[in-house]
């Protein structure tokens, strides 16, 4: 029986994709870069919480953009139904009469917004091994500090999906309203662990991106629609916390 070497297979497929040059985007919007590459890998899109290619998680990156790399998405460990709680207590009403909450939160400073009545910040409790979302009113008074992730839950996400990350860099162009991508290089990222992740959060290099909405129609109308609470970092900062090899 032939043993598959996932990294060598990925390198071989990538060389074919790279040599083919520009590829028309398979989806509109920012997710087109990842969707197109997944299709070129002949990977069926799914929502499974597993690596994309054998034991390798694929992340795509636009070299000309400033977008962050999403390491993983994970709802808070506490309280139960945390995203519904956040949306209903601190969100704003959209045009459909549903409360939504869209904020990018950092440990280094609270958010500032003319849209929301509250400010949000990340706080790391190293002793109790928790990462909190803390909420302040417009006067800077703490009004909520019981929403958190445990280190253990975040570590489980790392072990499940991010033992190996292939960061694919690409260029983007648009011609006559059609977007194209050219995939240029792959960097293999390893060695990201819970301590380095939490250090990155504590330093403000990992942002927590909250995108909580509500279904606008259908049987779930009005119920929480979590687009994924993302732990995100720039490629430039990621190199501080992990080992990176060009492949």
């Amino acid at each position: 029986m032939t043993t598959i070497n996932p990294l060598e297979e990925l390198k071989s497929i990538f060389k074919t994709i790279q040599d083919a040059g520009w590829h028309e985007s398979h989806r509109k919007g920012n997710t087109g870069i990842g969707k197109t590459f997944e299709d070129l890998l002949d990977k069926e899109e799914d929502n499974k919480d597993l690596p994309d290619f054998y034991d390798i998680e694929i992340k795509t990156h636009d070299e000309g953009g400033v977008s962050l790399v999403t390491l993983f998405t994970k709802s808070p460990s506490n309280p139960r139904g945390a995203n519904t709680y956040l949306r209903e207590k601190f969100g704003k009403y959209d045009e459909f009469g549903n409360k939504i909450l869209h904020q990018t939160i950092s440990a280094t400073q609270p958010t500032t917004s003319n849209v929301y009545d509250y400010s949000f910040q990340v706080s790391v409790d190293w002793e109790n091994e928790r990462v909190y979302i803390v909420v302040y009113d417009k006067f800077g008074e703490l009004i909520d500090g019981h929403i958190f992730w445990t280190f253990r839950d975040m570590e489980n996400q790392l072990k499940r999906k991010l033992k190996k990350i292939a960061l694919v860099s690409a260029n983007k162009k648009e011609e006559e309203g059609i977007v194209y991508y050219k995939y240029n290089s792959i960097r293999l990222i390893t060695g990201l662990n819970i301590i380095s992740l939490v250090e990155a959060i504590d330093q403000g290099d990992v942002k927590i991106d909250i995108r909580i909405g509500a279904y606008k129609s259908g049987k779930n109308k009005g119920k929480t629609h979590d687009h994924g609470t993302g732990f995100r970092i720039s490629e430039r900062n990621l190199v501080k916390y992990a080992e990176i090899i060009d492949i």
Side-chain angles (χ1 to χ4, degrees), residues 9-239:
E9 184 171 343
L10 177 61
K11 287 168 63 176
S12 176
I13 297 173
F14 178 78
K15 183 67 165 57
T16 301
I17 294 171
Q18 183 183 43
D19 289 347
W22 292 94
H23 301 268
E24 183 177 338
S25 180
H26 294 186
R27 177 183 288 167
K28 294 181 179 179
N30 294 333
T31 59
I33 185 172
K35 170 61 174 169
T36 303
F37 190 76
E38 285 186 357
D39 287 352
L40 294 169
L41 284 177
D42 199 25
K43 178 190 180 296
E44 185 175 333
E45 188 175 32
D46 59 54
N47 294 315
K48 294 179 181 177
D49 196 19
L50 296 170
D52 296 312
F53 190 85
Y54 298 100
D55 62 341
I56 302 172
E57 178 73 3
I58 307 291
K59 302 291 182 184
T60 47
H61 170 72
D62 179 0
E63 292 181 4
V66 293
S67 61
L68 302 178
V69 176
T70 300
L71 297 172
F72 59 83
T73 60
K74 177 67 178 170
S75 299
S77 309
N78 183 80
R80 184 176 181 180
N83 283 344
T84 295
Y85 171 81
L86 283 165
R87 177 178 72 86
E88 292 180 347
K89 184 153 187 170
F90 305 115
K92 63 162 189 172
Y93 286 101
D94 65 9
E95 68 273 25
F96 297 93
N98 297 315
K99 278 194 171 182
I100 62 172
L101 180 61
H102 290 182
Q103 288 281 273
T104 299
I105 307 174
S106 167
T108 51
Q109 62 183 12
T111 59
T112 56
S113 172
N114 295 323
V115 174
Y116 295 96
D117 296 325
Y118 308 95
S119 296
F120 305 85
Q121 191 169 1
V122 176
S123 177
V124 175
D125 181 347
W126 285 97
E127 182 178 355
N128 293 302
E129 299 190 341
R130 294 174 176 177
V131 172
Y132 284 87
I133 294 177
V134 291
V135 187
Y136 303 94
D137 65 17
K138 285 297 185 182
F139 303 101
E141 294 294 324
L142 178 67
I143 59 173
D144 201 309
H146 83 297
I147 306 153
F148 64 82
W149 291 263
T150 64
F151 283 19
R152 177 179 290 181
D153 282 350
M154 293 188 296
E155 185 174 26
N156 286 340
Q157 288 294 103
L158 289 178
K159 289 180 176 179
R160 186 178 296 117
K161 291 198 69 172
L162 300 177
K163 288 182 179 180
K164 298 176 184 176
I165 306 169
L167 186 60
V168 180
S169 295
N171 291 125
K172 174 184 176 181
K173 70 176 182 180
E174 185 171 343
E175 296 180 349
E176 299 181 355
I178 300 174
V179 173
Y180 298 86
Y181 295 103
K182 181 159 68 76
Y183 299 93
N184 301 319
S185 63
I186 301 183
R187 306 175 82 187
L188 184 68
I189 300 170
T190 61
L192 187 63
N193 58 48
I194 186 59
I195 298 302
S196 58
L197 173 67
V198 176
E199 285 178 348
I201 294 171
D202 209 8
Q203 293 298 314
D205 288 331
V206 166
K207 319 290 185 185
I208 297 180
D209 206 19
I210 297 177
R211 294 290 180 264
I212 310 171
Y215 288 97
K216 297 177 176 60
S217 61
K219 65 179 182 179
N220 292 320
K221 183 177 180 180
K223 292 183 179 179
T224 299
H225 183 196
D226 180 12
H227 296 274
T229 301
F231 287 69
R232 309 179 73 208
I233 189 170
S234 69
E235 181 182 5
R236 173 172 51 84
N237 285 326
L238 182 57
V239 301

